[in-house]
């Protein structure tokens, strides 16, 4: 999930955006707006259609399913569409082609900071910090002029994290990212290609920890392919998250972010204010926000990544267990 901003490619033509969306999910946004999107399932009723956007990693897909299912239960025709990354889905959220996305407070704040004030803004004049309240307040100031509404954050938090193989850590006596920087070992990072420019990925590792980054292997954020590459020694470092539930099965361990490169990223919904800014929608999504914990995220991710359960099924089981959805 290196969730923070990359501006290259953020402003895309409508045809390029539609093509990317179709390539990710197989359905256009217009199709998803009709309630026949990738998540499937019957709608609860006639309060209108809503498209919930998901980024292309497990946790985002699960969160999007949680959102869509509580919205359906509240009477909306809600569907899920998966979009590769924030650079693609955020402009679509502004346009109302996507109505709701699960987001991470610090990350989306800095993304919009860069979009409003230039690509160097997150580094030179950051608005996010470890203070969730201050971060959300800054986010609201950036989001509102773009027609976006930020709903309250919850306790569940997910941060970028970097892992190495247990063997590599033991051989080089590594427990933290500072240890890796001091070791002067040249590393290649298995991550999304945007890691090369995102301030909390490769540039941040270089600046904050002095880590010698040889390059980025574009295998995705926390994907099995990325983790396997580190396990096999093809790459030395993998970008994942603190809620990754499959590290142990790959023989990987997290390195401590001891200099606090990453900001606290509390989960919260961001919606298109015009299309999805109603109190009813906020109330429905708030049920998820209030219930969800970081430990819940780890377990939900584990069920999808380790047990190969479908995000739709995992989401439904969780909602039923929390009394947020009646089992049918």
């Amino acid at each position: 999930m290196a969730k923070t901003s990359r501006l290259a490619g953020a402003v895309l033509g409508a045809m390029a955006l539609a093509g990317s969306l179709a390539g990710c999910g197989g359905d256009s946004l217009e199709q998803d707006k009709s309630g026949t999107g990738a998540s499937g399932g019957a709608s609860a009723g006639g309060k209108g259609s809503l498209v919930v956007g998901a980024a292309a990693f497990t946790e985002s897909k699960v969160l999007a399913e949680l959102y869509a299912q509580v919205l359906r239960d509240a009477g909306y025709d809600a569907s899920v569409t998966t979009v590769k990354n924030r650079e693609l889905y955020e402009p679509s959220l502004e346009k109302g082609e996507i109505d709701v996305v699960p987001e991470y407070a610090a990350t989306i704040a800095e993304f919009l900071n860069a979009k409003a004030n230039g690509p160097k803004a997150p580094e030179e004049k950051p608005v996010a910090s470890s203070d969730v309240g201050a971060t959300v307040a800054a986010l609201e100031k950036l989001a509102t002029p773009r027609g976006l509404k930020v709903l309250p954050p919850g306790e569940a938090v997910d941060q970028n994290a970097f892992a190495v193989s247990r063997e590599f850590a033991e051989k080089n006596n590594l427990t933290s990212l500072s240890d890796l920087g001091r070791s002067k070992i040249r590393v290649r990072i298995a991550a999304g290609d945007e890691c090369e420019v995102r301030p909390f990925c490769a540039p941040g590792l270089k600046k904050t920890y002095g880590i010698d980054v040889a390059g980025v292997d574009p295998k995705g954020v926390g994907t099995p392919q990325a983790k396997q590459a580190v396990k096999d020694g093809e790459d030395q470092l993998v970008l994942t998250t603190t809620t990754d539930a499959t590290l142990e099965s790959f023989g990987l361990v997290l390195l401590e972010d001891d200099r606090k490169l990453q900001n606290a990223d509390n989960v919260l919904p961001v919606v298109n204010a015009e299309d999805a800014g109603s109190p009813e929608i906020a109330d429905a999504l708030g049920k998820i926000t209030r219930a969800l914990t970081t430990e819940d995220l780890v377990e939900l991710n584990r069920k999808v990544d380790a047990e190969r359960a479908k995000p739709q099924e995992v989401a439904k089981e969780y909602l039923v267990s929390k009394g947020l959805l009646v089992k049918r």
Side-chain angles (χ1 to χ4, degrees):
M1 166 178 355
K3 306 183 212 87
T4 339
S5 75
R6 176 177 68 117
L7 290 187
V11 181
L12 299 174
M15 291 180 64
L17 178 59
S20 297
L21 292 168
C24 292
D27 294 307
S28 73
L29 287 177
E30 287 72 22
Q31 288 172 315
D32 278 326
K33 275 282 195 179
S34 70
T36 57
S39 64
S43 165
K47 292 185 179 179
S49 63
L50 295 170
V51 176
V52 182
F57 59 94
T58 294
E59 186 170 293
S60 186
K61 292 177 182 179
V62 173
L63 286 167
E65 281 294 338
L66 289 170
Y67 287 7
Q69 291 185 33
V70 296
L71 288 169
R72 287 191 205 113
D73 192 58
Y76 295 91
D77 189 355
S79 59
V80 174
T81 188
T82 301
V83 187
K84 183 179 179 182
N85 55 34
R86 184 173 290 102
E87 288 77 12
L88 291 172
Y89 70 67
E90 190 280 333
S92 193
L93 182 65
E94 289 188 26
K95 295 173 185 176
E97 295 168 334
I98 289 175
D99 303 299
V100 182
V101 293
E103 266 294 359
Y104 302 86
T107 295
I108 184 61
E110 293 299 0
F111 178 89
L112 294 181
N113 185 22
K115 196 168 182 179
N117 301 309
K120 294 185 178 180
E123 181 180 354
E124 297 176 351
K125 293 184 178 180
V127 297
S129 68
S130 59
D131 184 326
V132 176
T135 298
V136 172
L139 169 57
E140 289 172 340
K141 290 181 181 178
L142 290 162
T144 300
R146 296 184 174 277
L148 304 180
K149 183 177 180 180
V150 179
L151 301 185
E155 293 184 5
V157 61
D158 187 1
Q159 294 172 302
N160 294 332
F162 294 91
V164 296
S165 71
R166 189 177 300 278
E167 180 182 359
F168 184 80
E170 292 175 352
K171 178 182 177 181
N172 296 289
N173 196 27
L174 306 176
T175 61
S176 69
L177 290 170
S178 286
D179 291 338
L180 182 57
R182 284 191 293 267
S183 74
K184 303 302 180 185
I185 298 171
R186 193 167 174 80
V187 300
R188 194 162 73 140
I189 307 171
D193 56 2
E194 63 271 18
C195 177
E196 293 184 359
V197 293
R198 287 187 168 177
F200 295 148
C201 201
L205 292 176
K206 294 174 184 178
K207 180 178 179 179
T208 302
Y209 290 103
I211 293 173
D212 187 357
V213 178
V216 173
D217 186 3
K219 292 186 181 296
V221 179
T223 62
Q225 294 85 353
K227 283 176 274 197
Q228 188 67 42
V230 173
K231 178 181 180 181
D232 294 343
E234 296 175 13
D235 302 318
Q236 293 71 45
L237 199 64
V238 60
L239 172 62
T240 183
T241 71
T242 52
T243 58
D244 190 327
T246 66
L247 292 176
E248 187 175 344
S249 65
F250 284 91
L252 306 182
V253 294
L254 291 177
L255 294 181
E256 182 189 357
D257 179 20
D258 52 310
R259 295 184 186 174
K260 308 299 181 187
L261 172 62
Q262 310 299 332
N263 291 319
D265 258 321
N266 292 63
V267 176
L268 80 177
V270 179
V271 305
N272 179 281
E274 183 177 353
D275 294 343
S278 72
E280 274 190 301
I281 290 174
D283 287 344
L285 296 173
K287 294 177 183 179
I288 301 294
T289 301
R290 291 188 292 273
L292 200 63
T293 67
T294 304
E295 292 73 24
D296 290 341
L297 286 178
V298 174
E299 180 61 12
L300 291 167
N301 291 338
R302 187 192 66 78
K303 287 181 177 180
V304 175
D305 291 335
E307 297 181 6
R308 299 293 186 260
K310 294 180 179 179
Q312 300 97 310
E313 297 169 354
V314 170
K316 183 176 181 179
E317 180 184 343
Y318 176 80
L319 292 171
V320 170
S321 74
K322 295 293 183 180
L324 301 179
L325 199 65
V326 177
K327 188 173 184 179
R328 294 184 176 89

